[in-house]
Amino acid sequence: NIDGSYRLVEDQAFVFINSKRPVVRQRFTAAHELGHHELDAAARRVDIVDVDVFGVTGVHRDMNHFAGAFLIDSMGARKLRQDGLTGDALVAETMAEFVVSLKAAAIELKYLRLISEQECSDVIGRRDADDFRVGNFVAQFGRTMPADPEDTEELDPTYLALVKSRYEHGGLNVTAVAAALRMKEP
């Protein structure tokens, strides 16, 4: 159930993203974790581990806001609105243009005051945003989303070397290595 995590150890920043999630979720999670690195001053002073299942605290809401602003260009979103898009069409176009989820698009458009609080609630409330296949929503408006990558058994050699190095230096335990390598714990 973990989307990603951020860890700062001895001035080395590490971000881990759950590759089993849809691409739009992975991108949002990566931006959220970047927010921790850029904005969380406390993270620079101590060894911390941030494991974000779903941002419910004030800090995580701030990081989610950072992620939305990072991924969705405000000027680009305003241009879509100036082009006459409103409501669901604006949300769908924002999703396709910036490769974000329905929920991320709706919330950021609300922050930008390009849709109302009610429009945001309506578009999110009609479906469970986490389970909703974003491609189906944008297809109603003639757009497509990038396909999620196929799950593959082969892992990137650079990634494997990083996992091995972190384990050898005590940064990962056996359980973490097993999860990183998509294995059952020995």
Side-chain angles (χ1 to χ4, degrees):
N1 288 335
I2 295 174
D3 288 328
S5 66
Y6 171 79
R7 184 175 180 146
L8 185 65
V9 179
E10 298 173 10
D11 293 327
Q12 290 285 332
F14 297 91
V15 171
F16 298 92
I17 306 300
N18 184 343
S19 63
K20 300 284 188 186
R21 299 285 196 213
V23 168
V24 294
R25 186 67 199 158
Q26 290 180 48
R27 292 181 77 242
F28 190 87
T29 300
H32 172 104
E33 302 305 341
L34 176 64
H36 281 293
H37 181 72
E38 291 296 318
L39 302 177
D40 193 351
R44 291 193 175 87
R45 287 188 228 121
V46 296
D47 254 6
I48 66 149
V49 176
D50 167 51
V51 177
D52 185 22
V53 175
F54 184 74
V56 293
T57 65
V59 170
H60 288 281
R61 276 191 301 273
D62 291 347
M63 296 313 130
N64 287 343
H65 181 61
F66 174 91
F70 181 81
L71 293 171
I72 299 172
D73 171 52
S74 63
M75 295 303 291
R78 285 185 173 87
K79 171 132 179 35
L80 295 175
R81 180 78 163 101
Q82 290 171 350
D83 290 346
L85 296 175
T86 60
D88 286 0
L90 179 59
V91 173
E93 189 67 25
T94 300
M95 291 167 65
E97 184 71 23
F98 300 106
V99 191
V100 296
S101 69
L102 179 140
K103 192 172 187 178
I107 290 171
E108 189 61 22
L109 290 170
K110 177 188 76 170
Y111 283 140
L112 294 171
R113 299 175 191 242
L114 298 176
I115 64 173
S116 69
E117 177 85 37
Q118 187 62 51
E119 288 173 305
C120 178
S121 295
D122 288 349
V123 75
I124 290 172
R126 281 196 302 268
R127 55 197 51 86
D128 183 328
D130 290 331
D131 293 333
F132 183 65
R133 306 224 24 111
V134 295
N136 296 338
F137 182 74
V138 298
Q140 297 174 39
F141 300 94
R143 291 298 306 262
T144 59
M145 295 292 288
D148 289 326
E150 295 294 320
D151 189 24
T152 176
E153 293 298 317
E154 198 171 316
L155 295 172
D156 178 71
T158 305
Y159 172 76
L160 292 172
L162 175 64
V163 170
K164 180 182 176 193
S165 173
R166 293 295 297 147
Y167 175 72
E168 289 171 345
H169 292 95
L172 296 174
N173 62 24
V174 172
T175 302
V177 170
L181 299 180
R182 301 180 191 157
M183 302 168 58
K184 291 183 181 175
E185 187 176 349

